[in-house]
Amino acid sequence: MDGMINVFCAIALSLFVFCIAEARAQPQVDWSAVDSAQVRAIHDEILDHSECYENLRVLCKDIGHRLSGSEGAERAIDWGLQVLSGAESGADTAWLQPVMVPHWSRGPRELAWMRIGDGARQPMRVAALGGSVGTDGPMAAEVVMVKKFEALDTLGREEVEGRIVLFNRAMDPLLINTGAAYGGAYNQRSRGAVEAAERGGVAALVRSLTHALDSFPHTGGMRYDEDASLRRVPAAAVSTVDAQKISDALKLGERVWVGLDMGCELFEEVEQANVIAQWRGSEFPDRYIVVGGH
């Protein structure tokens, strides 16, 4: 963090000089080159002197999980304020900005199984999506699989009602931009439970958003519509291996049942805080460069 001041102070003004006497403008500054040089300077400073990786290690290993509303998040807030208030950060001031945040707990249990046709139950790997309601005890239902929301309408309510909906749209492996690949599959995770519930589904399973074919479910956030009168159903990420196993069975005409027992719970919002620090510039102290992260 002590390199941040040097980076900010390294941003220089460029001056256009107009020769009035000659009534002829001098060549303009190539701003793209200036911007590129500044970006490169910041890039080099971070890689050569930054404490980012050590800070990340502390957050992940020493403080641990930091779900909003949790005790871990409180510890992270206290740590952040202490670091930014210290002399080494160089900040002129650091403070907390109170903010209301969601409070959700994964709970004491997260169990799942699948059964294909007349076969025996097989263990299944799931992770409740952040913000999901729990199952209120064990539940089980037959699975219907789709890749897009529009497919639910094609199936019709009679094919969805009372069933668990598996959203099995994989990330596009041909996109060089992995962010675009992630974004192309994201809405099934963020809104899948809502779309399933609107058509009578009792739960939503979402193929983990990863290119890897493995047994590790990748959780993430989801949200329900704000209308409290709308039914809320549980939602969980399923590992890509298990999603593929269900998909293969359904394509062969097999029927698949899934059981879920998730103890996650959504509570009322609680007050926590953003940690904010300010480094006042020497040349333009009333102008701001805003940098955010989470």
Side-chain angles (χ1 to χ4, degrees):
M1 296 181 181
D2 53 354
M4 189 175 296
I5 298 177
N6 294 331
V7 173
F8 289 164
C9 291
I11 300 175
L13 278 180
S14 295
L15 179 65
F16 286 102
V17 179
F18 296 92
C19 184
I20 304 300
E22 296 181 359
R24 184 175 70 241
Q26 299 297 320
Q28 293 186 344
V29 174
D30 183 357
W31 287 109
S32 62
V34 173
D35 290 344
S36 297
Q38 294 303 323
V39 169
R40 183 71 212 190
I42 294 172
H43 173 274
D44 291 348
E45 173 69 20
I46 291 173
L47 291 181
D48 196 29
H49 299 108
S50 176
E51 298 178 3
C52 291
Y53 285 112
E54 173 58 18
N55 289 339
L56 184 62
R57 186 199 64 77
V58 172
L59 282 170
C60 294
K61 299 297 184 181
D62 297 346
I63 294 176
H65 70 80
R66 303 170 304 284
L67 287 173
S68 66
S70 69
E71 293 182 4
E74 288 289 348
R75 291 194 299 271
I77 291 167
D78 293 341
W79 171 84
L81 182 62
Q82 179 180 357
V83 169
L84 292 173
S85 299
E88 290 186 0
S89 79
D92 298 293
T93 182
W95 69 95
L96 297 181
Q97 178 192 53
V99 60
M100 300 301 292
V101 300
H103 182 199
W104 177 84
S105 171
R106 186 167 297 281
R109 65 189 186 281
E110 200 167 61
L111 305 172
W113 55 262
M114 74 168 78
R115 179 167 62 83
I116 299 173
D118 296 327
R121 289 184 181 183
Q122 305 176 44
M124 204 169 115
R125 303 151 191 88
V126 301
L129 296 181
S132 172
V133 297
T135 57
D136 194 21
M139 63 169 289
E142 190 172 353
V143 175
V144 60
M145 182 182 71
V146 297
K147 291 187 177 181
K148 295 185 178 181
F149 296 153
E150 293 80 6
L152 292 172
D153 295 324
T154 301
L155 285 172
R157 188 178 182 91
E158 63 278 4
E159 293 294 326
V160 180
E161 193 163 15
R163 290 178 167 85
I164 293 174
V165 179
L166 168 63
F167 293 95
N168 193 36
R169 183 165 78 255
M171 290 172 54
D172 189 343
L174 301 180
L175 292 177
I176 295 176
N177 184 338
T178 54
Y182 186 93
Y186 171 74
N187 71 334
Q188 61 186 339
R189 190 181 78 190
S190 63
R191 191 173 170 79
V194 174
E195 298 289 335
E198 286 180 351
R199 296 160 178 83
V202 295
L205 293 176
V206 180
R207 181 189 182 98
S208 289
L209 301 189
T210 171
H211 286 308
L213 188 63
D214 59 30
S215 299
F216 303 99
H218 293 214
T219 186
M222 58 83 62
R223 42 185 181 273
Y224 298 105
D225 285 343
E226 294 183 2
D227 189 345
S229 66
L230 298 177
R231 189 167 61 100
R232 296 183 172 187
V233 301
V238 59
S239 75
T240 51
V241 164
D242 287 328
Q244 194 63 48
K245 186 179 295 186
I246 294 173
S247 174
D248 291 344
L250 292 173
K251 288 177 181 178
L252 291 173
E254 299 276 9
R255 299 175 70 182
V256 179
W257 286 262
V258 161
L260 295 172
D261 187 7
M262 303 192 311
C264 49
E265 190 172 357
L266 184 62
F267 302 96
E268 293 293 326
E269 289 188 343
V270 298
E271 182 179 292
Q272 289 192 320
N274 291 318
V275 184
I276 302 176
Q278 179 172 293
W279 290 259
R280 185 170 295 278
S282 58
E283 193 167 356
F284 297 104
D286 296 326
R287 298 185 183 181
Y288 296 89
I289 299 173
V290 179
V291 180
H294 68 87

